[in-house]
Amino acid sequence: MLHVADHIDTLRTTPAGSDRTAGPQDGSPSLPEDGCRQENERCSLAVHPAGLFVSSQPSQVEDTPSGEEGEEEGEEEEKEAASAQAPEDPVEPQLEEASQVLGALEMRQLSLHLPPSVTGRSWSLAFCTARDGFSLRSLYRQMEGHSGPVLLALKDQDGQRTTKFFPLQTARSSAPQMFGAFSSSEFRLSRGFYGTGETFLFSFSPQLKVFKWTGSNSFFVKGDVDSLMMGSGSGQFGLWLDGDLYHGGSHPCATFNNEVLARREQFCIKDLEAWVLS
């Protein structure tokens, strides 16, 4: 205690202009000016709260969420991603009358691949062979006055075969193949191909397969007096129908990169329907 008091008296008696870095006369160690500043800083930090160590930048603890918060955010992100990738529910088409080719399940599946501009529209049966007969000219006549997209649905006769001993009777060998096309424009006589990239071919074999436009060419639809063609490339047509709407064919083509829609490249038509989506 006396030693500290002597040191205080020495500081008081030191003249204003004298060197304060010099040690006291009693030989006690002296601190340089930098040492005094460092010592004062240590002393001030010792008596101040830990809040002095908080910098202006966010700490690592603040940036990193807790384990529970991170798991909740991860679950929310997974739910959002799952909802974004989940397919839309099939829209039940509004039919003015029943179809003889497509069932309710096939129509709902096809509705998922229709352009958004026609989703929810009513389906009007503009032509069917059961009512209007097997004639391409009749199909063109029924299309007059319509300017909207058309869904063409066919059922072939591959599911029936003639028995050996009773030629007039038929025996069921397999279910008829259902296939067809969606055209962005009505079917009509034309000098060349017409339509847009929304046109596509489809087939139920038995699961639905849809063949969209590849961008290779623009050979969508062409209507002649004695044939209707959809898709082309290398002299082959993705789908073609003859003038009596009884014979047809299907080949792979560059327009849609499609498979053969029927079980055989050449087929006979059992039923054909043309639905206008108005």
Side-chain angles (χ1 to χ4, degrees):
M1 296 294 295
L2 293 176
H3 179 73
V4 174
D6 294 342
H7 182 64
I8 293 175
D9 293 337
T10 302
L11 292 176
R12 288 178 178 177
T13 57
T14 302
S18 62
D19 188 6
R20 292 189 178 182
T21 61
Q25 295 180 358
D26 59 357
S28 60
S30 62
L31 292 173
E33 184 177 357
D34 294 340
C36 293
R37 185 182 299 111
Q38 295 175 0
E39 185 70 18
N40 292 334
E41 290 177 355
R42 285 196 297 268
C43 294
S44 62
L45 291 176
V47 297
H48 281 77
L52 292 176
F53 293 95
V54 179
S55 62
S56 60
Q57 298 179 354
S59 65
Q60 184 178 0
V61 176
E62 294 173 347
D63 293 341
T64 305
S66 63
E68 295 180 356
E69 294 177 354
E71 291 177 358
E72 292 177 356
E73 292 179 0
E75 292 176 358
E76 293 178 357
E77 292 177 357
E78 290 178 359
K79 291 180 180 179
E80 293 177 357
S83 61
Q85 296 175 0
E88 298 179 357
D89 294 333
V91 178
E92 186 72 29
Q94 301 177 5
L95 275 64
E96 297 183 357
E97 53 188 297
S99 172
Q100 302 299 321
V101 177
L102 299 174
L105 177 61
E106 288 80 17
M107 288 189 171
R108 286 195 298 269
Q109 292 176 346
L110 278 173
S111 66
L112 293 176
H113 299 277
L114 297 177
S117 57
V118 301
T119 302
R121 292 187 181 183
S122 60
W123 293 26
S124 176
L125 186 60
F127 175 87
C128 70
T129 53
R131 181 189 64 195
D132 304 307
F134 289 80
S135 172
L136 182 58
R137 291 178 180 268
S138 178
L139 172 61
Y140 291 146
R141 285 195 298 268
Q142 295 298 110
M143 288 286 105
E144 294 178 358
H146 298 286
S147 59
V150 179
L151 183 73
L152 184 70
L154 298 85
K155 182 186 292 184
D156 65 9
Q157 296 184 12
D158 191 61
Q160 293 181 343
R161 61 179 176 85
T162 303
T163 61
K164 181 178 180 180
F165 300 103
F166 302 94
L168 298 180
Q169 296 182 4
T170 58
R172 182 68 59 181
S173 60
S174 60
Q177 187 87 346
M178 294 179 294
F179 52 94
F182 172 81
S183 174
S184 58
S185 304
E186 76 283 359
F187 297 126
R188 64 179 186 270
L189 290 171
S190 61
R191 294 182 177 180
F193 284 88
Y194 64 92
T196 68
E198 293 180 338
T199 305
F200 63 81
L201 304 178
F202 67 88
S203 174
F204 289 93
S205 57
Q207 300 299 324
L208 173 62
K209 293 183 179 180
V210 176
F211 306 98
K212 297 295 185 71
W213 178 45
T214 62
S216 298
N217 57 49
S218 300
F219 302 148
F220 300 115
V221 183
K222 185 177 186 297
D224 291 341
V225 175
D226 55 357
S227 62
L228 177 65
M229 296 153 285
M230 303 189 68
S232 181
S234 303
Q236 304 287 349
F237 300 105
L239 177 64
W240 68 268
L241 309 174
D242 67 359
D244 60 9
L245 292 184
Y246 184 74
H247 297 91
S250 176
H251 299 84
C253 70
T255 309
F256 304 108
N257 191 29
N258 60 286
E259 303 173 358
V260 176
L261 302 181
R263 290 186 176 91
R264 300 180 178 88
E265 293 182 347
Q266 308 294 328
F267 56 85
C268 294
I269 300 172
K270 181 181 179 181
D271 292 301
L272 183 147
E273 297 175 347
W275 295 84
V276 175
L277 281 66
S278 59

